[in-house]
Amino acid sequence: MDRKCNIIKENDCEIMIGKVKASLTEENLTAISNKGIYKRGTKDAESITDVSISFSDDFFSIEFDDTKTVIKKDLSDFSCSCRSKTVCRHVISALVVLRDIEISQAVQEEASSEVNPEEEVPSSEETCEEKMLVINPEYLSEVISSVRVIMKKGIINCGKSDIDVLVQLSLKGENTIHNNISLMIRSLSSYIGEMLEKSAEFSSIKTVHLLCRIYNTVKAVLANEKNPDNLEKLCYDGKEKYTERKPLCFTGLGAYPWTTDSGYAGVTAILYCNDDNRIYTYSSSISYIYENTKKFSSFESLEEVFRSHAHWTNSVSLEQVSGSVFRLIGGKTSNGGRISSSKKTTMHPLSENIYEKVPLMNIGSENFSADENEYEYFGRRREEKIIAVRFEEFTHISYNKINQVLEFEISDGIRLYPCEISWNEHNKNAVAYIERAVKKAPEKGSFIICRYIGKVFVPVSIIDRKKVRCFYFE
């Protein structure tokens, strides 16, 4: 068909069109929208006869008929005069028009001549020498000395000054090769604080175990200083490397609040990736170890984190992330299954029913199996197992006053799943919700999403035909 394209040649517009044409494949355009919108947008593009295209500050401005679209060159951001909050048929039509433009050979060669920065970066295997881990013997010696002092006097005789020493040691090792030891020391200071406050959460067994683990870990690090394989298992800074991904489709499965003994609090959303069939998490967290940040560990603060519109380029909330199906553009993920909070990432909601998608995921009870050897003394944090249990009824509910946990079982009509929720400020809504649900059970056939921790299942949310119910925040 004849189409008049008015390409404004300022800012190398033609060259930029030549650069992006190859990425405007059916697969990529379907990925940022869906098959229906792609087909509709492609069909509408056939009737576009007059179009104006300009380029400025990484964005194409494409106008046709009475429509104006603005599209970032890497497809990570869009807007349309129709005011759609998702990728609409007009955006797809505009991209199809770009794809169809015939670029002269000279311009195409100029566009291809500039090296793609992503292609220019060789793999770490090809260019990087093996990174040698260098321990800090002076720091480790301080840790050993402090632990021995506590062992000699006994935990029961520890006081505020011992907590101060441990906090300083923890800060010294933070974000270094000994970050894991730093976190354990921070937890130990927290346990001793619980003892001094006569908190019901204090456990002498847990405290002694942690004290011994710090000592044994430090001794093992020193003994394996010249053994890089063992040292890599014993030392890590806690940071994960993130890599940029192509557009991926995620389904939110709920969210939950958490705090750690080492002084961090946050909210984590559980997500299922429909493209590679695995679980990912997206978290927002903050350290509450300092005087001016202690308030952030309260439930009210974490509830605000859950509902606050502060994530990614389009300012979405964790409530939206954990309860919808969406396409993530410009996202980065780690090997451990975490999603980055990069401001270059954009979430595009999709109109799909989560309840209908859960049975298609590989997290059903038929796919679940517990690891035989789950515990490793020096082991790092493992990827969490997530299971979707099709609900039939709650059974054997009781409150364990010694361990301060609500214990119950979920039946899917075939087997029973032992569950528990710890009683604390952050879980009070969840405990109350389950207690109410026993009297007025959720709709049969609903899915209960659980985390598998320490041979028990910890419920996160209930997914019925209407919505994802994040009962920690209801």
Side-chain angles (χ1 to χ4, degrees):
M1 59 162 283
D2 292 330
R3 178 183 294 146
K4 181 183 177 182
C5 292
N6 177 26
I7 300 175
I8 299 172
K9 296 187 177 182
E10 294 177 359
N11 302 315
D12 295 325
C13 185
E14 274 192 294
I15 294 174
M16 297 311 301
I17 293 173
K19 286 184 177 182
V20 302
K21 275 171 61 71
S23 66
L24 304 180
T25 62
E26 178 178 348
E27 179 184 5
N28 287 345
L29 298 191
T30 302
I32 63 174
S33 55
N34 59 49
K35 289 183 178 179
I37 291 177
Y38 174 76
K39 289 181 179 178
R40 180 71 183 275
T42 303
K43 184 174 178 62
D44 288 353
E46 295 175 359
S47 60
I48 295 175
T49 57
D50 196 354
V51 60
S52 176
I53 304 169
S54 61
F55 181 81
S56 177
D57 296 329
D58 286 346
F59 283 86
F60 287 101
S61 177
I62 306 169
E63 299 181 46
F64 53 91
D65 300 334
D66 296 322
T67 302
K68 179 178 180 179
T69 62
V70 178
I71 305 169
K72 197 169 185 179
K73 66 179 182 181
D74 61 1
L75 307 187
S76 64
D77 199 6
F78 312 84
S79 67
C80 179
S81 57
C82 76
R83 297 186 179 180
S84 171
K85 294 182 179 179
T86 61
V87 176
C88 62
R89 59 190 174 91
H90 304 119
V91 168
I92 296 300
S93 294
L95 291 171
V96 170
V97 168
L98 276 191
R99 185 178 66 190
D100 290 346
I101 291 175
E102 293 184 6
I103 300 294
S104 68
Q105 183 67 28
V107 171
Q108 190 63 55
E109 286 176 0
E110 188 172 352
S112 303
S113 65
E114 297 185 21
V115 179
N116 184 337
E118 293 182 0
E119 294 175 355
E120 193 176 36
V121 180
S123 70
S124 57
E125 295 178 351
E126 296 172 338
T127 63
C128 298
E129 296 180 4
E130 185 176 354
K131 184 179 179 181
M132 297 298 293
L133 298 177
V134 180
I135 67 172
N136 184 340
E138 183 180 341
Y139 173 70
L140 297 177
S141 178
E142 284 187 66
V143 174
I144 286 288
S145 177
S146 298
V147 169
R148 282 176 174 162
V149 167
I150 294 174
M151 286 178 168
K152 188 173 182 178
K153 70 162 60 174
I155 293 171
I156 191 67
N157 295 312
C158 287
K160 183 71 168 57
S161 61
D162 296 289
I163 293 178
D164 292 340
V165 169
L166 292 172
V167 169
Q168 291 303 314
L169 268 180
S170 174
L171 291 172
K172 191 178 289 189
E174 203 172 67
N175 296 322
T176 71
I177 186 178
H178 302 304
N179 191 69
N180 58 321
I181 294 174
S182 166
L183 291 175
M184 286 192 283
I185 293 170
R186 175 71 67 181
S187 296
L188 180 61
S189 71
S190 176
Y191 291 173
I192 294 174
E194 290 173 357
M195 180 194 70
L196 295 178
E197 294 168 3
K198 295 181 171 56
S199 170
E201 294 182 9
F202 173 70
S203 166
S204 58
I205 295 175
K206 188 166 67 171
T207 306
V208 171
H209 175 272
L210 180 59
L211 186 67
C212 294
R213 186 179 177 190
I214 294 170
Y215 184 86
N216 292 335
T217 301
V218 173
K219 296 293 282 186
V221 170
L222 290 169
N224 288 275
E225 182 178 3
K226 301 196 182 297
N227 187 327
D229 291 336
N230 286 346
L231 206 58
E232 188 178 0
K233 297 175 183 177
L234 294 163
C235 299
Y236 47 97
D237 59 14
K239 297 177 182 177
E240 293 193 64
K241 292 182 179 179
Y242 287 82
T243 56
E244 194 164 342
R245 303 289 300 274
K246 68 178 184 180
L248 295 173
C249 181
F250 291 96
T251 300
L253 299 177
Y256 60 93
W258 51 266
T259 59
T260 68
D261 297 322
S262 54
Y264 289 86
V267 177
T268 292
I270 298 175
L271 306 166
Y272 185 86
C273 181
N274 307 307
D275 295 304
D276 60 12
N277 298 311
R278 66 170 290 191
I279 291 290
Y280 287 83
T281 58
Y282 177 72
S283 299
S284 179
S285 62
I286 191 170
S287 170
Y288 62 87
I289 61 176
Y290 306 104
E291 197 63 38
N292 63 337
T293 61
K294 284 184 178 179
K295 64 179 182 179
F296 292 117
S297 66
S298 70
F299 175 75
E300 289 72 23
S301 292
L302 294 182
E303 186 174 28
E304 185 177 340
V305 169
F306 177 66
R307 305 197 192 282
S308 175
H309 291 259
H311 303 277
W312 299 324
T313 59
N314 45 341
S315 299
V316 296
S317 68
L318 276 166
E319 185 174 16
Q320 292 172 296
V321 171
S322 62
S324 62
V325 182
F326 60 90
R327 182 74 63 185
L328 202 63
I329 311 296
K332 295 181 179 180
T333 63
S334 72
N335 290 337
R338 291 188 176 97
I339 298 175
S340 167
S341 58
S342 169
K343 286 299 182 183
K344 294 182 179 179
T345 302
T346 305
M347 169 185 167
H348 293 285
L350 303 174
S351 300
E352 297 185 35
N353 185 285
I354 293 180
Y355 178 81
E356 294 173 356
K357 294 179 77 68
V358 175
L360 305 177
M361 301 176 184
N362 61 3
I363 58 172
S365 55
E366 67 279 4
N367 296 310
F368 179 81
S369 63
D371 292 335
E372 292 183 6
N373 300 309
E374 292 184 18
Y375 181 70
E376 292 181 19
Y377 192 77
F378 295 116
R380 305 187 191 187
R381 172 185 175 274
R382 292 189 173 198
E383 279 190 58
E384 214 166 66
K385 287 182 176 289
I386 302 295
I387 180 174
V389 179
R390 190 180 282 274
F391 172 79
E392 283 294 320
E393 63 176 335
F394 290 115
T395 62
H396 304 107
I397 185 168
S398 63
Y399 186 73
N400 186 322
K401 293 183 179 179
I402 296 176
N403 295 323
Q404 298 282 294
V405 296
L406 183 72
E407 299 174 339
F408 55 98
E409 292 179 336
I410 301 172
S411 170
D412 63 0
I414 300 174
R415 60 170 287 190
L416 296 174
Y417 300 84
C419 300
E420 66 178 41
I421 298 178
S422 298
W423 168 254
N424 55 45
E425 182 195 4
H426 305 97
N427 294 348
K428 59 186 179 183
N429 284 358
V431 170
Y433 187 94
I434 295 298
E435 288 176 333
R436 290 195 305 270
V438 171
K439 299 175 183 177
K440 186 179 179 181
E443 179 184 355
K444 288 189 176 182
S446 298
F447 293 96
I448 299 185
I449 304 300
C450 299
R451 303 156 63 208
Y452 183 67
I453 306 171
K455 298 185 178 181
V456 296
F457 298 89
V458 180
V460 172
S461 65
I462 293 178
I463 300 176
D464 57 30
R465 287 176 171 81
K466 294 181 179 179
K467 62 180 289 191
V468 177
R469 303 186 184 277
C470 298
F471 46 70
Y472 286 82
F473 301 100
E474 291 193 1

